[in-house]
Amino acid sequence: MSTATGSGADREPGSGSGPGSGSRERILARIRTAVAAAPDAPEPARDYLDTHTAADRVVDLLAENLADYRALVHRTDTDGLPALIARLLSRRGARTVLVPPLLPASWLSATATEIDRVQDGPEATARDLDAIDSVVTGCALAIAETGTLVLDAAPDQGRRRITLVPDHHICVVDVPHQVVASVPQAMPRLDPTRPLTWISGPSATSDIELDRVEGVHGPRTLEVILVEV
């Protein structure tokens, strides 16, 4: 029977087990000693502009940047929303649509009855979700300058996985209440303890030859509905 040579007791405390780890700890110890008497770092200045976008341009800029990321952008009002969702699902040829727990019932009120509405639940596996044709959700915020949708798993959005596995995602954004100009404006309105998903266009990646492939790690098709409320 072979036995291991050396033990944790033989190594310098906190040095780890990798090559050179003892040297790393000695260097860090010297740095800590050198800065021990240094004054506390000053608070960062927060007097910078938090956006470069005029207020009357925010929604149009959001639409432009979403389209630039190859999302399909639609605009309507509250009354026209159910019919628009129904058309998008029909055009997609969807036979099933995944529904978050508290998606407003009116959103799917015009959807054809032959489209099966599937309620999300914790028992749904990735394979189950992959068999779903479309998913409809709300969002937490939309950021104009980056063309980004932010979802936080609220009841009208559902679990993170339901917007990452199905191939077709319809996301509804209330305008202007859920639209901000910039990331600095978005951060104070988001809860960092919630599971935040930041979406800029449909899922896409490129290989070393810059060949773009969509749908690798998320929906191949993202449709965004900007609803004037």
Side-chain angles (χ1 to χ4, degrees):
M1 179 183 297
S2 63
T3 57
T5 59
S7 68
D10 299 325
R11 293 192 291 269
E12 182 180 339
S15 64
S17 58
S21 54
S23 298
R24 181 178 66 244
E25 286 303 315
R26 286 193 295 272
I27 292 170
L28 291 175
R30 291 173 185 169
I31 294 172
R32 294 186 190 103
T33 300
V35 301
D40 293 337
E43 287 293 319
R46 303 291 187 187
D47 55 352
Y48 50 78
L49 291 176
D50 63 2
T51 181
H52 297 279
T53 305
D56 61 355
R57 275 278 298 147
V58 169
V59 176
D60 288 338
L61 181 62
L62 172 64
E64 292 168 11
N65 284 334
L66 285 168
D68 192 50
Y69 277 124
R70 301 193 188 181
L72 304 177
V73 182
H74 313 274
R75 303 179 78 158
T76 187
D77 57 19
T78 303
D79 292 338
L81 177 61
L84 177 55
I85 291 177
R87 287 198 304 273
L88 297 181
L89 291 173
S90 177
R91 184 183 306 162
R92 180 76 181 183
R95 294 164 298 174
T96 53
V97 57
L98 193 62
V99 181
L102 292 183
L103 191 79
S106 63
W107 289 10
L108 296 178
S109 60
T111 299
T113 56
E114 59 266 25
I115 297 179
D116 187 19
R117 302 175 193 184
V118 180
Q119 296 292 328
D120 179 44
E123 71 284 352
T125 66
R127 186 179 298 273
D128 295 331
L129 295 176
D130 191 45
I132 296 293
D133 294 320
S134 301
V135 57
V136 178
T137 75
C139 75
L141 281 179
I143 304 172
E145 290 178 356
T146 59
T148 302
L149 306 174
V150 186
L151 280 63
D152 65 0
D156 66 336
Q157 300 157 45
R159 299 176 301 160
R160 172 181 283 170
R161 66 166 58 187
I162 74 171
T163 58
L164 298 179
V165 180
D167 205 41
H168 179 221
H169 179 196
I170 298 174
C171 186
V172 178
V173 181
D174 286 346
V175 176
H177 307 101
Q178 291 184 318
V179 181
V180 295
S182 65
V183 172
Q185 289 183 358
M187 296 306 294
R189 293 180 54 175
L190 297 170
D191 182 351
T193 67
R194 298 188 65 82
L196 301 176
T197 304
W198 299 63
I199 303 171
S200 296
S203 165
T205 189
S206 297
D207 61 17
I208 196 169
E209 300 295 334
L210 300 182
D211 291 326
R212 179 182 171 102
V213 179
E214 298 181 350
V216 176
H217 41 70
R220 183 176 286 105
T221 303
L222 172 65
E223 304 209 52
V224 181
I225 303 178
L226 306 179
V227 182
E228 298 277 355
V229 295

